[in-house]
Amino acid sequence: GGSGTDIPLIDPCEEATLPTAVVNDLLHNNNISSQVNVLENHALNDNAEYGMAITDNNGSPVAQTPYTDGNSGTVTVNFPSSGNPLVAAHIHHKDIVAPPSAKDLYNALQLIKDYPTYLGSMVFCFNGTKYTFVVKDRSKVIAFLNAHPRQQNLTADEKLFNEDFDIG
């Protein structure tokens, strides 16, 4: 036995509680609730992916009307030139696996790195489940992206982690 120092265990879910609550509160804001409802309906009823960006314009959240690229398996969420990026949200319809993809994770991490105001990414699934990617420490995101490049750690279609590299 030793008399070493106890190392406190940190529950990552506990650590993510506050940033997740901030994103959830934002999604229930009256200014954008109608766009959020439209996105949720697309998740339940459509067979193409839809997405939208949520920005902060002078202290008030603004959401795009959900849109699609017309592709069943992907949608590109672009932020408008005005406002500060807060959240990118997209759906996974019934023909797509419900959980977020490896590509969704890397996209969220890149947005967190690129935009200091970015809070997180959301995926609304056909079964009513919602996933949120949030981060407390941007410096750790940058370190992770530098240590584990997207090109190495994702399969060619970017849906899965590449098992030939450390993350997979």
Side-chain angles (χ1 to χ4, degrees), residues 94-165:
K94 64 185 178 311
D95 296 330
I96 296 179
V97 175
S101 65
K103 177 182 179 180
D104 292 339
L105 172 63
Y106 267 89
N107 285 348
L109 295 177
Q110 190 64 49
L111 290 167
I112 289 164
K113 176 184 175 188
D114 291 346
Y115 297 107
T117 58
Y118 197 73
L119 299 173
S121 296
M122 291 204 72
V123 180
F124 295 76
C125 299
F126 65 90
N127 61 5
T129 304
K130 296 179 186 102
Y131 294 89
T132 306
F133 292 110
V134 296
V135 170
K136 285 186 60 172
D137 187 338
R138 281 184 164 67
S139 65
K140 289 181 180 178
V141 168
I142 293 166
F144 175 88
L145 290 172
N146 289 335
H148 308 286
R150 175 187 195 119
Q151 297 79 5
Q152 286 182 348
N153 286 287
L154 298 183
T155 57
D157 65 3
E158 295 195 329
K159 292 181 180 179
L160 302 171
F161 290 106
N162 184 344
E163 293 184 9
D164 293 336
F165 290 89

Side-chain angles (χ1 to χ4, degrees), residues 67-88:
Y67 59 88
T68 182
D69 294 347
N71 187 329
S72 67
T74 187
V75 64
T76 302
V77 175
N78 295 308
F79 287 98
S81 56
S82 63
N84 294 313
L86 295 176
V87 172

Side-chain angles (χ1 to χ4, degrees), residues 29-104:
N29 185 292
N30 287 336
N31 291 346
I32 65 170
S33 60
S34 62
Q35 290 93 338
V36 171
N37 289 337
V38 169
L39 192 64
E40 289 174 324
N41 285 332
H42 283 304
L44 297 173
N45 300 309
D46 286 311
N47 61 356
E49 277 205 35
Y50 282 76
M52 70 177 181
I54 302 171
T55 57
D56 173 64
N57 287 3
N58 299 317
S60 182
V62 175
Q64 297 168 325
T65 299
Y67 59 88
T68 182
D69 294 347
N71 187 329
S72 67
T74 187
V75 64
T76 302
V77 175
N78 295 308
F79 287 98
S81 56
S82 63
N84 294 313
L86 295 176
V87 172
H90 73 281
I91 70 164
H92 280 197
H93 56 78
K94 64 185 178 311
D95 296 330
I96 296 179
V97 175
S101 65
K103 177 182 179 180
D104 292 339

